[in-house]
Amino acid sequence: MERLASFSNDPFDKPPCRGCSSYLMEPYIKCAECGPPPFLLCLQCFTRGFQYKKHQSDHTYEIMTSDFPVLDPSWTAQEEMALLEAVMDCGFGNWQDVANQMCTKAKEECEKHYMKHFINNPLFASTLLNLKQVEEAQNADSAIPFHSADDPPRPTFDSLLSRDMAGYMPARADFIEEFDNYAEWDLRDIDFVEDDSDILHALKIAVVDIYHSRLKERQRRKKIIRDHGLINLRKFQILERRYPKEVQDLYETMRRFARILGPIEHDKFIESHALEFELRREIKRLQEYRTAGITNFCSARTYDRLKKTREEERLKRTMLSEVLQYIQDSSACQQWLSRQADIDSGLSPTIPVATNSGRRSAPPLNLTGLPGTEKLNEKEKELCQMVRLVPGAYLEYKAALVNECNKQGGLRLAQARALIKIDVNKTRKIYDFLIREGYITKA
């Protein structure tokens, strides 16, 4: 059986004859029952029945030659390879030099044959296109692109930002350290040789199969990170905070099952649960209206307004009961009145309240009319009320801490206290709040 043996005419590119160790010239013999590596013999050794180890003279064989046409009946495979090598050596268009190097074809024959079969041949054009498409598909499966309008971030190795991005390098679309990063070490000393026993050969094949399974696991983890958008952890946390607290707890519990459901199915599940939570809360509100005897939404708005008024009155009664506790102590009563005056004017009180029973906590700060209050959400308003911090100052402290965290990749409490020159207890509460809400990360 004849076949094209190589894309080179150089005999030094082929292994030597296993019988006499001479360089092989076509045609030569290849044993069909031995190998790998291929067992090759020259014609002289083949005719005298050379035998070596597993190779026997009665084995089936193949005649390896390139003396047959491939693209044109008047051109052999050996001449096709010689033409391609000559074009590579002399350059495209130098047909006289190509013909001189080939020695078997004229200048016009070389140019005509090359243009017809290698330039204007639609078969080769479609094959190159398919190869390009296959290469693009392989790159699309292995690389994880970073789509951003800005210059991609370049976090330093082992920084907090690099760990948050799972070691992903956006500029290279790859990871600093792969999963099972030293899987290739098990293959570095493996070499398949002909003298291997059957058991040793099977063992090496098993090691290669194990390595392939580890590569599949590496690609599977990359696919999970790409499909679920887990590269940018900060963005993922911001999206998670849009849900109510109860839904966030479910999100945290169900995260381990996301790789089984898939990204779309997992998001549908979370969104459906968030919708269920909203419906239950609305049903509870409507049941409250029904219990109060309300049958239309106009009455419901009146009911909500009156309910809010009752809550404010209850708070006032609580404040009055607080005053009655100081009524027996004139000094404590005077301090309490001064503190309430500061609160009403929007200032932070400076006089602590001291009683015979010990220190008492200050009431929440009234944020009504203070600049910057409209820029705060409900949780931030509650924080400012509890730590008695005006909104403008809180916004300045928050911006300073967030900027420093972005620069350092994380922030420690000691660094926060160095940036904010206020009471250390207030700094601790602000720092814990920003950590809990995801505005900054702990170093």
Side-chain angles (χ1 to χ4, degrees), residues 107-122:
K107 168 186 174 182
E108 293 76 11
E109 292 177 309
C110 295
E111 180 179 5
K112 181 180 179 181
H113 184 81
Y114 191 86
M115 296 300 295
K116 177 181 178 181
H117 294 285
F118 295 101
I119 299 298
N120 301 324
N121 191 340

Side-chain angles (χ1 to χ4, degrees), residues 51-150:
Q51 297 185 153
Y52 178 75
K53 292 186 178 180
K54 296 180 181 181
H55 175 69
Q56 302 297 322
S57 59
D58 59 349
H59 282 181
T60 57
Y61 61 91
E62 301 172 359
I63 301 176
M64 309 299 288
T65 179
S66 58
D67 190 17
F68 57 90
V70 178
L71 301 176
D72 192 304
S74 60
W75 284 69
T76 64
Q78 187 173 2
E79 290 175 331
E80 299 281 3
M81 293 185 292
L83 174 64
L84 294 177
E85 291 181 357
V87 171
M88 291 179 60
D89 295 340
C90 303
F92 178 78
N94 299 321
W95 301 116
Q96 186 60 54
D97 295 338
V98 171
N100 294 337
Q101 181 170 327
M102 286 193 61
C103 301
T104 58
K105 298 292 181 180
K107 168 186 174 182
E108 293 76 11
E109 292 177 309
C110 295
E111 180 179 5
K112 181 180 179 181
H113 184 81
Y114 191 86
M115 296 300 295
K116 177 181 178 181
H117 294 285
F118 295 101
I119 299 298
N120 301 324
N121 191 340
L123 175 62
F124 287 129
S126 61
T127 303
L128 293 176
L129 180 60
N130 292 336
L131 292 176
K132 183 177 180 181
Q133 293 175 349
V134 170
E135 182 180 0
E136 292 177 353
Q138 292 177 349
N139 293 335
D141 292 338
S142 59
I144 303 178
F146 184 90
H147 301 289
S148 176
D150 303 326

Side-chain angles (χ1 to χ4, degrees), residues 162-192:
S162 177
R163 292 195 298 270
D164 286 345
M165 298 176 64
Y168 183 69
M169 298 177 292
R172 291 178 55 186
D174 205 350
F175 291 88
I176 295 177
E177 185 171 327
E178 298 281 3
F179 169 76
D180 201 359
N181 196 49
Y182 300 100
E184 289 77 10
W185 282 30
D186 295 338
L187 300 177
R188 57 182 179 176
D189 297 327
I190 291 182
D191 186 17
F192 289 89

Side-chain angles (χ1 to χ4, degrees), residues 360-374:
R360 294 181 57 85
S361 60
L365 176 64
N366 185 10
L367 301 181
T368 305
L370 293 182
T373 304
E374 68 280 358

Side-chain angles (χ1 to χ4, degrees), residues 277-310:
F277 176 79
E278 294 294 335
L279 292 176
R280 288 181 180 273
R281 186 166 60 180
E282 183 67 16
I283 290 173
K284 184 178 180 180
R285 186 171 69 91
L286 295 176
Q287 288 176 343
E288 181 183 357
Y289 292 156
R290 179 59 59 87
T291 304
I294 299 173
T295 57
N296 56 71
F297 286 104
C298 181
S299 301
R301 286 191 293 269
T302 305
Y303 172 80
D304 291 337
R305 186 171 61 254
L306 294 176
K307 181 180 178 181
K308 182 178 179 181
T309 304
R310 286 195 299 270

